[in-house]
Amino acid sequence: MDIGRVNPANRLEDQGMSGLGAVYYNLAESALVEEALKRGEGRLGQGGALLVATGAYTGRSPKDKHVVRDAETEGTVWWENNRPMSPEGFDALHADMLAHMAGRDMFVQDLYGGADPAHRINVRMVTELAWHGLFIRHMLRRPPRDELDGFAPDYTVINCPSFTANPERHGCRSETVIALNLSKKLILIGGTEYAGENKKSVFTLLNYILPEKGVMPMHCSANHARDNPVDAAVFFGLSGTGKTTLSADPERILIGDDEHGWSDRGTFNFEGGCYAKTISLSPRAEPEIFATTSMFGTVIENMVYDEETFALDFEDDSLTANMRAAYPLDYIPNSSDSGMGGHPKNIIMLTCDAFGVLPPIARLTPAQAMYHFLSGFTSKVAGTERGVTEPEPTFSTCFGAPFMPRRPEVYGKLLQEKIAAHGATCWLVNTGWTGGAHGTGHRMPIKATRALLHAALDGSLNEATFRKDENFGFQVPVTVHGVDAQLLDPRATWADKAAYDAQAKKLVEMFAENFEQYVPHIDDDVKAVAIG
């Protein structure tokens, strides 16, 4: 039985998904909330938010993500970073998942991946859970209703959390599986209710497709000046580094909070919504994001709440530190309708330094920017991935290694070319620790980070006096209006200067060791940065 909006020529039966129960096509938000509540998938919170829990998995499962290795992908995929799956294993997985779906109700959302019509893809998301349909309806871009009649999917994602994979039969690692078959334009997800796998599978897909079109896919947030879309900025960073928080600036227009492309026409959002971490979310420091947590249809994921009043507890991380809110972009008052902006004038690389060594902001040369982009140094924060319970220093190339199907140099070269062509100024911003490493120091004050970013984006920071950092060679401002000068010198914030020197030496060595893998593939000016 088909329910909702569907083109008769594009039913699931036409894609080999037959014998299903009710199939709900392109239900709007109210209907999806209604179905989720009726099926016991969640509870209705304050303001009409949908409160859900994802069970055993409250973060991504990157080790369970596979790409089918075939003639198309053999020479294009970065196999050192992507787990292969055989075509035969994928076919068995597909057949078993279709058999598992027989008689079950399914929810279908036909959506766009990408705001720019020149580069977007048509994505059909088939989900077992109504709230997953609501989540992805927020996350991707919703076609106008009249465009659904002619919608034909370029790629299809099937997500069945109740399905368990068989590693021996399917050639995967565990009972949880995320499998991308780029030749068949099909993605299969099973064994996890964590909704982030849906959006990140599409991001991985775009990261594979777009470089061949000369488009730079970026794990970044983006905004532009309120009255000047050409004055755009992008914020690279892994989850927990501040992409969502820092790009939601009331003085600028939000393009998006997580995934973007940089084409010859400028910057464009891949998505239509935001997926914000809510732990310790503050109505004073982050009022726009905080307000979304009590708006109708916002998906509140893995948050503890009062059983009588349904008031959310933003400090209780007993379920996970990776508690989140998923909401449409227009819930942020100063968001972009088009999801598009100009070429970035400023590129900010966000890092969460758990060592407490890096300054709160530093200006980078283009070669230094390439070095830090390929290094992707940060700290995985608690809960983002399964098994991460406290900040864990790591190098994630391009600030998004789990989502990069191609070699890092492919993305690095694209970024290098676009910086050269459009003259962007590059900054490294540390939102991690100061005054000591994790356990001794404290997190960088968000008020100071915002002040530094405002100065960078309005151009005034370029007029400051800079010093050369003795560890990494980049330029660090000596004084910035509204920011404690001591904070700008990480060594000065440590009580034990010798301990800082030792920690800094250790971090420099970690950078050098990690970067050795890229030296054969990079230009001489970047090599000069690498060897100091």
Side-chain angles (χ1 to χ4, degrees):
M1 177 176 62
D2 292 343
I3 301 169
R5 184 100 173 190
V6 58
N7 183 342
N10 287 306
R11 288 187 166 90
L12 293 190
E13 287 88 340
D14 302 310
Q15 296 179 266
M17 290 175 262
S18 58
L20 303 174
V23 180
Y24 298 82
Y25 289 90
N26 297 309
L27 295 187
E29 291 79 358
S30 296
L32 288 167
V33 170
E34 186 177 45
E35 287 294 334
L37 295 174
K38 184 171 69 176
R39 295 161 189 269
E41 295 176 6
R43 303 182 73 178
L44 196 64
Q46 294 186 356
L50 184 65
L51 313 179
V52 301
T54 63
Y57 299 149
T58 58
R60 291 181 292 101
S61 301
K63 294 180 181 178
D64 293 308
K65 187 175 181 179
H66 301 260
V67 178
V68 173
R69 192 167 192 164
D70 57 18
E72 177 180 330
T73 59
E74 177 63 42
T76 55
V77 167
W78 180 24
W79 292 114
E80 293 87 348
N81 185 61
N82 292 270
R83 289 177 180 268
M85 175 179 282
S86 70
E88 296 76 18
F90 182 90
D91 289 345
L93 175 67
H94 188 201
D96 291 349
M97 188 172 285
L98 292 180
H100 176 82
M101 292 164 60
R104 296 175 184 268
D105 295 351
M106 290 288 153
F107 294 86
V108 178
Q109 288 288 320
D110 292 326
L111 302 159
Y112 293 141
D116 188 342
H119 300 296
R120 73 187 181 201
I121 59 172
N122 292 358
V123 178
R124 167 163 284 182
M125 188 71 60
V126 182
T127 66
E128 185 179 15
L129 298 172
W131 81 262
H132 273 198
L134 178 63
F135 172 90
I136 203 63
R137 186 173 173 81
H138 291 336
M139 286 296 101
L140 294 185
R141 301 192 67 85
R142 299 168 293 282
R145 298 298 284 180
D146 60 355
E147 293 184 15
L148 288 174
D149 290 335
F151 188 97
D154 298 318
Y155 294 85
T156 299
V157 182
I158 304 175
N159 189 334
C160 288
S162 65
F163 175 82
T164 54
N166 182 327
E168 184 175 348
R169 173 171 164 78
H170 303 136
C172 52
R173 192 188 75 98
S174 75
E175 294 183 345
T176 298
V177 65
I178 303 97
L180 289 77
N181 191 319
L182 297 164
S183 300
K184 293 191 172 183
K185 300 185 175 182
L186 181 62
I187 300 172
L188 305 177
I189 304 171
T192 173
E193 291 186 34
Y194 182 65
E197 300 290 8
N198 293 303
K199 78 183 224 90
K200 289 305 185 186
S201 67
V202 177
F203 184 40
T204 303
L205 182 59
L206 287 165
N207 280 336
Y208 183 79
I209 296 168
L210 292 179
E212 289 190 343
K213 301 173 69 175
V215 177
M216 171 67 184
M218 302 178 292
H219 189 210
C220 71
S221 57
N223 62 27
H224 66 70
R226 184 171 290 277
D227 299 318
N228 185 10
V230 174
D231 182 4
V234 298
F235 303 74
F236 285 101
L238 287 179
S239 177
T241 56
K243 292 194 311 301
T244 300
T245 296
L246 296 173
S247 58
D249 183 339
E251 297 181 14
R252 293 174 66 85
I253 301 299
L254 178 67
I255 302 173
D257 83 322
D258 194 42
E259 302 168 3
H260 294 79
W262 186 356
S263 73
D264 291 340
R265 305 202 311 172
T267 310
F268 64 97
N269 195 354
F270 289 166
E271 300 184 303
C274 301
Y275 192 33
K277 293 194 74 173
T278 56
I279 187 168
S280 299
L281 191 65
S282 165
R284 187 173 66 175
E286 300 146 304
E288 294 84 8
I289 298 173
F290 188 90
T292 69
T293 62
S294 57
M295 291 184 177
F296 180 79
T298 291
V299 177
I300 301 295
E301 197 176 69
N302 296 319
M303 287 192 71
V304 175
Y305 55 87
D306 187 287
E307 290 289 338
E308 293 185 4
T309 67
F310 294 93
L312 300 172
D313 189 332
F314 292 86
E315 302 302 327
D316 189 337
D317 62 355
S318 56
L319 290 177
T320 177
N322 194 36
M323 56 181 78
R324 288 183 179 264
Y327 49 89
L329 193 66
D330 59 16
Y331 277 14
I332 300 296
N334 57 316
S335 61
S336 167
D337 292 331
S338 69
M340 300 175 67
H343 297 289
K345 289 181 63 176
N346 288 278
I347 294 173
I348 292 93
M349 298 183 185
L350 299 169
T351 181
C352 177
D353 174 20
F355 285 105
V357 169
L358 295 176
I361 196 166
R363 187 172 59 190
L364 308 175
T365 66
Q368 289 170 338
M370 190 57 47
Y371 177 79
H372 285 278
F373 180 70
L374 289 175
S375 296
F377 171 72
T378 191
S379 300
K380 294 178 183 177
V381 295
T384 304
E385 293 181 8
R386 288 161 51 193
V388 179
T389 57
E390 62 180 33
E392 180 183 300
T394 188
F395 290 89
S396 185
T397 189
C398 309
F399 296 99
F403 324 116
M404 300 298 171
R406 298 180 183 270
R407 279 204 58 85
E409 297 82 14
V410 173
Y411 308 103
K413 184 174 178 57
L414 277 168
L415 182 63
Q416 188 176 37
E417 291 171 350
K418 292 188 180 299
I419 290 173
H422 303 289
T425 302
C426 301
W427 307 89
L428 183 70
V429 172
N430 175 24
T431 62
W433 272 256
T434 184
H438 172 255
T440 302
H442 54 85
R443 286 298 294 264
M444 196 71 67
I446 189 171
K447 183 178 179 181
T449 302
R450 287 194 184 279
L452 292 167
L453 282 173
H454 285 163
L457 297 183
D458 70 17
S460 62
L461 189 54
N462 279 315
E463 306 305 317
T465 299
F466 287 80
R467 65 175 176 85
K468 183 177 180 180
D469 182 85
E470 61 183 15
N471 295 306
F472 289 94
F474 41 51
Q475 298 292 307
V476 181
V478 176
T479 59
V480 177
H481 178 70
V483 179
D484 183 353
Q486 186 181 46
L487 195 67
L488 296 170
D489 181 1
R491 190 173 188 272
T493 67
W494 283 53
D496 187 339
K497 311 303 183 192
Y500 172 86
D501 293 338
Q503 194 78 291
K505 182 175 184 293
K506 178 180 179 182
L507 183 59
V508 170
E509 291 171 350
M510 288 175 61
F511 263 86
E513 181 180 357
N514 171 75
F515 204 80
E516 287 178 0
Q517 61 186 303
Y518 306 120
V519 171
H521 308 282
I522 58 176
D523 296 338
D524 290 341
D525 57 344
V526 183
K527 288 180 183 178
V529 175
I531 64 176

